[in-house]
């Protein structure tokens, strides 16, 4: 019985690629250094999977930034602003598209389906001249072969690539991206032909958009694309991989009808109803790559349950046609549990990271083939039983408090316009008030202080003194820049979710459980294993300390319940909304303590609310109802004079704007600049927004410093669709990933632009 892995984490067990990338960008490492680290990581991954007995090992899943950007490079679809003149795409062009450069901004970045991973959105139009401009897929196949490992090259499928793209600036929004299919298929044919010539016997096309709500024209595009590729694919085994949700009956019918396709990869973890489709109708002689091991979470697989599922499928598809697989790429989970030395043994026994999931996949394949490892299965069953019965998982008081939430929608008593009036009397802010989103640059020295404190190398007194000094520096800088509503810079926090999780019950933490978010940015999601509560105040001391340093309003900075949920590895033994309500109650306690401490502006970030939206429209309403309700729970008890802010970033918000309004925040700051200001289109189309709003005026994920004129131009575009008295001026997101030499001039230009427009508006009266 064969085994398969959809994809694997790229950063390395100790984030080797992250540090080399950042060193390369800072011109401290050479291109050769970067290539060597990348080659060593690829070699290690391939050999690990080969050694574990995996038959179908993925190739071309390694990336310096993002697999969609890799496909853009393969197709030569470089936007003109990067001045690429043809030939093989090098690092300069590649990283300029990803990060921008001193002259031009980066391409848009958005969430990969409903994950916390981000991809670079292709910008396409009728005039794009496609060409085969990156031979990465073939080069990496040959590289693995030279090491004695046969891989399955993985490509983003042509239809999903186009469906994930957007019309380039200046191209009509109504332009059909699928009309470009005949232009990109010839490039795919070149790649396929080279892979065949190099000795590939299998090829994997990732077509995850098949799980979305697609119309008949979109489904027909899959049929047309693979019919066109059929002759080129002849002689290869072809796997079409889908993941993240169920297929609709129409999409499933399209999938199994594709020409030249040998195998179908299905997510049987999140696609709980797809199994029924397989049992009703599966093409004879085809392979099923059954994704029964969860690639999105870190819980050990229930091997007995998975084996039962596989045995039922084996009866349908045939013993020699069933391949055990992961539900999706393991990119979305941590690398190796072996690196976790501080997790207690009980919780550790409940977990499986990427390396352990590889072992689980192979163990299931062997069990199906009659070579069941009884000891391994017995140990797994004991861990499953331990988790179900452990007293540390349940807290009766928390469950009772969450149950009591039913029957109320937890809205503040006064409407937002009335609240804004009383808040303005208290805060006395100018029009177009300026603020930032929360974090300031995380310097090497600051990281050292936190690291040494965690390692007990410095005392708590020394740690507090150092953090206070950093806060004072950030406060002074903001006052010098003349920013209106200040933040304390979050110097005590390495990560916005990890920081809160460390102080809430029901959470566990890893030492090296890093997961790639985008580029070199990695996050270390907490593990929610049990009922959640707040034992004591989490941020009040630092916020009060910061407020004592200035007469200007200081924002209390919290992460909202939906974001904590969506950016954690969440327990899978109860519905997600129940866990979210528990977190909301804990944050509510913190909000009310901040208010009592004299903090008049409190930001509750819901950066990840949009990314949790189910992929199917039929499931949107239920998710949005409990997600928005969870946010309102956090602040329903504060006074009218307390201004509640929230922040959202890097997603498409237009389709959920009414739910955002329903959150009933006083002010929302929201990503806008990197996505070509498409957020503003919703207001041009007539949506009325009465609360304060700060669409980001510059992209903080790029080192580029915008000019005062550029920012003023952005603000003017906002003023064309938004009332002057509700508009705020702020960056797109927090500043922790930037350097002070970038932040200071950018914020200076932002404040100058706001002042320039205030003067202009005052003279126009």
């Amino acid at each position: 019985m064969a085994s398969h892995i959809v994809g694997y984490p790229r950063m390395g067990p100790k984030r080797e690629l992250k540090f080399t990338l950042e060193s390369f960008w800072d011109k401290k490492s050479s291109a050769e250094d970067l290539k060597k680290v990348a080659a060593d990581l690829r070699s290690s991954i391939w050999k690990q999977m080969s050694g574990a007995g995996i038959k179908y090992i993925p190739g071309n899943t390694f990336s310096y930034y993002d697999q969609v950007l890799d496909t853009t490079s393969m197709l030569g679809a470089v936007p003109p602003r990067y001045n690429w003149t043809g030939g093989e795409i090098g690092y300069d062009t590649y990283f300029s598209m990803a990060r921008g450069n001193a002259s031009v901004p980066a391409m848009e970045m958005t969430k990969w389906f409903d994950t916390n991973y981000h991809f670079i959105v292709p910008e396409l139009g009728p005039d794009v001249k496609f060409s085969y401009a990156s031979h990465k897929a073939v080069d990496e196949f040959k590289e693995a072969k030279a090491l004695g490992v046969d891989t399955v090259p993985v490509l983003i499928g042509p239809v999903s690539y186009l469906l994930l793209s957007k019309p380039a600036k200046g191209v009509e929004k109504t332009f059909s991206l699928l009309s470009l299919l005949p232009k990109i298929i010839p490039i795919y044919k070149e790649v396929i032909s080279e892979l065949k010539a190099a000795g590939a016997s299998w090829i994997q096309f990732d077509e995850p958009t098949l799980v979305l709500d697609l119309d008949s024209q979109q489904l027909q595009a899959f049929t047309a694309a693979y019919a066109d590729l059929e002759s080129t694919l002849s002689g290869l085994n072809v796997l079409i991989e889908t993941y993240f949700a169920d297929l609709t009956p129409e999409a499933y019918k399209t999938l199994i009808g594709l020409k030249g396709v040998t195998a179908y990869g299905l997510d049987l973890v999140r696609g709980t109803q797809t199994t029924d489709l397989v049992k009703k109708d599966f093409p004879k002689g085809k392979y099923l790559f059954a994704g029964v091991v969860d690639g999105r979470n870190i819980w050990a697989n229930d091997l007995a349950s998975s084996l039962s599922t596989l045995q039922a499928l084996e009866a349908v598809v045939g013993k020699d046609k069933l391949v055990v697989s992961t539900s999706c790429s393991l990119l979305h989970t941590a690398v190796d549990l072996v690196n976790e030395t501080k997790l207690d043994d009980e919780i550790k026994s409940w977990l499986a990271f990427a390396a352990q999931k590889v072992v689980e996949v192979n163990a299931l394949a062997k069990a199906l083939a009659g070579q069941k490892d009884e000891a391994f299965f017995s140990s797994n069953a004991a861990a499953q039983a331990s988790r179900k019965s452990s007293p540390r998982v349940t807290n009766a008081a928390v469950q009772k408090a969450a149950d009591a939430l039913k029957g109320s929608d937890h809205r503040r008593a006064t409407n937002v316009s009335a609240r804004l009036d009383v808040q303005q009397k208290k805060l006395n802010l100018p029009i177009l008030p300026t603020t930032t989103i929360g974090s300031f640059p995380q310097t090497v020295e600051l990281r050292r202080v936190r690291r040494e404190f965690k390692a007990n190398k410095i005392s708590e007194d020394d740690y507090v003194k150092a953090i206070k000094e950093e806060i004072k520096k950030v406060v002074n800088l903001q006052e010098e820049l003349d920013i209106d509503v200040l933040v304390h810079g979050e110097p005590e926090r390495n990560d916005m979710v990890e920081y809160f999780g460390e102080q809430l019950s029901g959470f566990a933490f890893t030492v090296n459980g890093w997961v790639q978010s985008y580029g070199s940015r990695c996050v270390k999601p907490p593990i929610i294993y049990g009922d959640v509560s707040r034992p004591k105040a989490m941020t009040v001391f630092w916020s009060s300390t910061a407020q004592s340093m200035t007469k200007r309003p200081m924002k209390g900075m919290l992460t909202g319940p939906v974001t904590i949920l969506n950016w954690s590895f969440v327990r899978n033994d109860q519905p997600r909304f129940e866990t979210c309500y528990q977190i909301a109650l804990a944050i509510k306690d913190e909000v009310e303590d901040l208010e009592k401490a004299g903090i008049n502006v409190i930001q509750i970030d819901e950066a990840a609310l949009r990314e949790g939206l189910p992929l199917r429209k039929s499931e949107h309403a239920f998710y949005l109802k409990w997600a928005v309700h969870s946010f309102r729970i956090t602040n329903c008890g504060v006074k009218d004079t307390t201004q509640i802010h929230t922040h959202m970033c890097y997603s498409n918000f237009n389709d959920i704007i009414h739910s955002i309004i329903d959150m009933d925040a006083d002010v929302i700051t929201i990503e806008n600049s990197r996505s070509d200001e498409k957020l503003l289109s919703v207001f041009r189309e007539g949506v009325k927004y009465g609360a304060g709003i700060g669409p980001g005026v510059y992209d903080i994920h790029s080192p580029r410093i915008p000019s005062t004129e550029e920012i003023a131009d952005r603000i003017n575009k906002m003023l064309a669709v938004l009332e002057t008295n509700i508009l705020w001026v702020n960056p797109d997101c927090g500043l922790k990933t930037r350097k002070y030499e970038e932040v200071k001039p950018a914020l200076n230009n932002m404040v100058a632009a706001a002042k320039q427009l205030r003067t202009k508006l005052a003279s126009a009266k």
Side-chain angles (χ1 to χ4, degrees):
M1 189 61 60
S3 51
H4 166 253
I5 305 297
V6 177
Y8 203 80
R10 311 156 177 156
M11 284 288 132
K14 295 183 179 176
R15 296 181 291 162
E16 294 89 335
L17 181 60
K18 167 192 170 65
F19 297 121
T20 311
L21 276 170
E22 291 173 353
S23 179
F24 175 72
W25 293 334
D26 288 341
K27 297 183 168 40
K28 294 176 182 175
S29 294
S30 68
E32 291 308 310
D33 293 332
L34 183 57
K35 287 175 184 174
K36 183 179 186 309
V37 168
D40 289 347
L41 283 171
R42 287 193 294 268
S43 171
S44 171
I45 291 165
W46 291 329
K47 288 178 179 177
Q48 176 193 349
M49 283 195 252
S50 179
I54 300 299
K55 181 175 180 180
Y56 300 111
I57 297 169
N60 196 40
T61 58
F62 179 88
S63 178
Y64 286 117
Y65 210 91
D66 158 50
Q67 71 270 24
V68 181
L69 182 61
D70 292 348
T71 310
T72 295
S73 298
M74 181 185 85
L75 297 171
V78 181
R81 65 181 177 275
Y82 299 108
N83 297 318
W84 175 63
T85 55
E88 189 81 2
I89 288 175
Y91 289 145
D92 283 351
T93 301
Y94 182 87
F95 288 125
S96 290
M97 289 191 286
R99 307 177 70 237
N101 57 42
S103 307
V104 290
M107 295 167 71
E108 180 185 353
M109 181 169 70
T110 197
K111 296 289 171 73
W112 177 247
F113 294 82
D114 58 348
T115 74
N116 186 31
Y117 179 75
H118 302 66
F119 73 97
I120 303 297
V121 182
E123 302 172 13
L124 305 178
D127 299 328
V128 175
K129 300 289 190 289
F130 295 100
S131 64
Y132 187 11
S134 170
H135 293 67
K136 175 180 175 295
V138 178
D139 292 344
E140 289 185 14
F141 176 79
K142 291 177 178 176
E143 183 184 327
K145 201 165 183 66
L147 295 169
V149 180
D150 264 330
T151 56
V152 178
V154 179
L155 301 176
I156 298 288
V159 183
S160 287
Y161 176 78
L162 292 177
L163 290 176
L164 293 168
S165 302
K166 69 174 186 177
K169 206 164 189 177
V171 175
E172 289 291 329
K173 288 183 182 177
T174 55
F175 173 71
S176 170
L177 293 160
L178 290 175
S179 70
L180 298 173
L181 205 50
K183 294 186 177 182
I184 68 170
I185 289 293
I187 315 296
Y188 275 88
K189 287 180 178 179
E190 287 188 70
V191 179
I192 294 162
S193 297
E194 286 195 7
L195 287 168
K196 282 168 70 173
S201 58
W202 278 82
I203 188 168
Q204 175 179 322
F205 291 99
D206 280 9
E207 293 282 13
T209 56
L210 271 167
V211 306
L212 302 177
D213 293 312
L214 301 177
D215 60 33
S216 58
Q217 181 188 5
Q218 291 167 324
L219 290 172
Q220 176 57 33
F222 288 94
T223 303
Y226 288 92
D228 198 352
L229 289 171
E230 184 181 13
S231 60
T232 311
L233 290 168
S234 177
L236 279 172
N237 290 295
V238 178
L239 165 63
I240 305 295
E241 187 67 51
T242 71
Y243 35 79
F244 299 151
D246 280 304
L247 292 167
T248 63
E250 295 78 14
Y252 180 73
K253 186 177 178 182
T254 299
L255 173 66
I256 63 174
L258 295 178
K259 300 283 189 182
V261 173
T262 318
Y264 315 105
L266 303 176
D267 182 341
L268 302 182
V269 176
R270 292 194 169 221
T272 53
Q273 296 165 35
T274 299
T275 308
D276 294 334
L277 294 172
V278 172
K279 289 177 180 177
K280 284 178 186 174
D281 181 22
F282 192 80
K284 194 172 182 182
K286 302 291 187 181
Y287 288 83
L288 172 63
F289 282 57
V292 293
V293 172
D294 192 353
R296 293 272 301 264
N297 217 328
I298 42 65
W299 303 108
N301 188 271
D302 184 338
L303 295 178
S305 175
S306 292
L307 185 58
S308 176
T309 298
L310 290 165
Q311 287 166 338
L313 290 168
E314 187 179 58
V316 176
V317 306
K319 196 173 187 70
D320 61 334
K321 299 297 182 184
L322 184 63
V323 178
V324 183
S325 184
T326 53
S327 65
C328 62
S329 172
L330 298 176
L331 172 71
H332 309 288
T333 190
V335 179
D336 196 342
L337 199 53
V338 168
N339 298 318
E340 299 309 321
T341 54
K342 295 187 178 179
L343 276 173
D344 70 66
D345 289 341
E346 183 181 36
I347 289 179
K348 202 170 179 179
S349 74
W350 302 343
L351 306 178
F353 290 0
Q356 288 69 47
K357 289 176 187 291
V358 170
V359 174
E360 289 178 337
V361 166
N362 201 51
L364 286 165
K366 283 188 170 181
L368 268 180
Q371 302 167 39
K372 185 177 180 183
D373 184 335
E374 295 292 350
F376 188 70
F377 270 71
S378 177
S379 172
N380 175 266
Q384 298 292 324
S386 157
R387 186 172 164 221
K388 285 176 184 174
S389 61
S390 175
R392 69 199 299 180
V393 170
T394 55
N395 181 323
V398 170
Q399 292 183 355
K400 184 178 178 183
D403 285 342
L405 294 171
K406 293 167 186 171
S408 170
D409 62 2
H410 297 89
R411 291 183 186 276
R412 292 170 77 178
T414 311
N415 69 44
V416 68
S417 58
R419 297 197 307 263
L420 288 173
D421 286 344
V422 296
Q423 290 160 12
Q424 176 58 18
K425 286 172 184 170
K426 185 163 190 171
L427 299 172
N428 194 28
L429 298 171
I431 60 167
L432 306 180
T434 54
T435 190
T436 64
I437 304 305
S439 60
F440 265 64
Q442 301 267 308
T443 62
V444 172
E445 174 62 17
L446 181 55
R447 292 179 190 276
R448 182 192 65 76
V449 167
R450 284 201 307 261
R451 189 169 57 249
E452 290 186 354
F453 178 58
K454 278 200 169 186
N456 296 315
K457 291 182 179 177
I458 61 173
S459 68
E460 184 171 1
D461 286 347
D462 287 342
Y463 171 74
V464 170
K465 181 183 176 185
I467 297 299
K468 281 183 175 180
E469 287 173 358
E470 183 70 19
I471 292 172
K472 184 62 177 170
K473 181 176 83 173
V474 169
V475 170
N476 288 347
L477 172 61
Q478 291 171 93
E479 289 191 328
E480 287 167 21
L481 292 166
D482 205 15
I483 291 172
D484 300 303
V485 176
L486 311 190
V487 297
H488 75 290
E490 303 176 9
E492 79 283 16
R493 308 176 194 182
N494 178 60
D495 176 86
M496 62 189 283
V497 173
E498 183 181 3
Y499 176 79
F500 289 98
E502 283 178 338
Q503 301 182 77
L504 295 168
S505 63
F507 282 74
F509 291 87
T510 63
V511 175
N512 288 297
W514 297 99
V515 179
Q516 186 182 16
S517 178
Y518 62 86
S520 68
R521 168 89 168 128
C522 297
V523 294
K524 191 148 52 90
I527 298 165
I528 306 177
Y529 68 83
D531 290 334
V532 178
S533 62
R534 185 197 74 146
K536 61 181 182 180
M538 302 180 285
T539 65
V540 175
F541 172 76
W542 296 118
S543 292
S544 300
T545 298
Q547 184 63 81
S548 71
M549 297 174 179
T550 181
K551 292 182 179 178
R552 300 185 185 211
M554 173 65 62
K555 285 197 277 193
M557 300 299 305
L558 304 175
T559 303
V562 185
T563 296
I564 290 176
L565 183 87
N566 285 336
W567 286 356
S568 298
F569 290 125
V570 183
R571 58 190 292 190
N572 58 359
D573 58 346
Q574 70 177 16
R576 288 172 71 86
F577 70 84
E578 290 185 14
T579 303
C580 198
Y581 283 153
Q582 293 177 0
I583 302 169
L585 286 171
I587 300 299
K588 181 177 187 288
D589 290 343
E590 186 72 11
V591 167
E592 291 170 5
D593 280 352
L594 281 168
E595 184 183 58
K596 287 173 191 169
I599 304 300
N600 296 315
V601 182
I602 302 170
Q603 182 169 306
I604 308 166
D605 285 348
E606 284 296 13
L609 187 140
R610 174 61 174 77
E611 81 182 41
L613 193 69
L615 300 177
R616 283 290 160 64
K617 288 178 183 173
S618 61
E619 299 169 19
H620 286 190
F622 179 67
Y623 167 78
L624 290 168
K625 183 178 180 181
W626 63 255
V628 169
H629 186 193
S630 296
F631 176 82
R632 288 202 306 263
I633 288 166
T634 64
N635 60 86
C636 63
V638 300
K639 301 170 187 171
D640 287 353
T641 49
T642 298
Q643 190 166 85
I644 299 295
H645 288 223
T646 191
H647 171 67
M648 295 183 177
C649 58
Y650 296 99
S651 257
N652 180 8
F653 301 106
N654 294 22
D655 56 346
I656 63 163
I657 191 67
H658 293 289
S659 294
I660 291 173
I661 293 168
D662 200 36
M663 290 170 73
D664 199 29
D666 296 309
V667 178
I668 180 169
T669 52
I670 197 163
E671 186 276 326
N672 174 65
S673 65
R674 190 161 183 170
S675 58
D676 289 333
E677 301 165 341
K678 65 185 175 189
L679 171 71
L680 299 185
S681 67
V682 79
F683 302 112
R684 293 190 191 101
E685 290 158 11
V687 171
K688 298 298 179 188
Y689 193 77
I693 184 166
V697 296
Y698 79 90
D699 175 22
I700 63 85
H701 291 294
S702 169
R704 184 172 166 273
I705 298 163
S707 67
T708 300
E709 293 71 27
E710 182 182 332
I711 294 173
D713 181 57
R714 287 192 185 278
I715 299 170
N716 271 320
K717 288 178 182 175
M718 297 170 192
L719 287 169
V721 293
L722 294 166
E723 297 293 332
T724 307
N725 64 336
I726 65 169
L727 186 61
W728 285 63
V729 177
N730 47 264
D732 264 346
C733 206
L735 304 169
K736 69 187 294 182
T737 60
R738 300 270 56 89
K739 299 179 175 67
Y740 270 106
E741 55 264 35
E742 299 159 350
V743 165
K744 288 178 183 178
L747 290 180
N748 184 66
N749 292 348
M750 182 187 84
V751 173
K755 287 181 175 179
Q756 187 183 103
L757 287 167
R758 284 175 200 159
T759 303
K760 184 179 174 184
L761 289 166
S763 63
K765 284 185 179 177

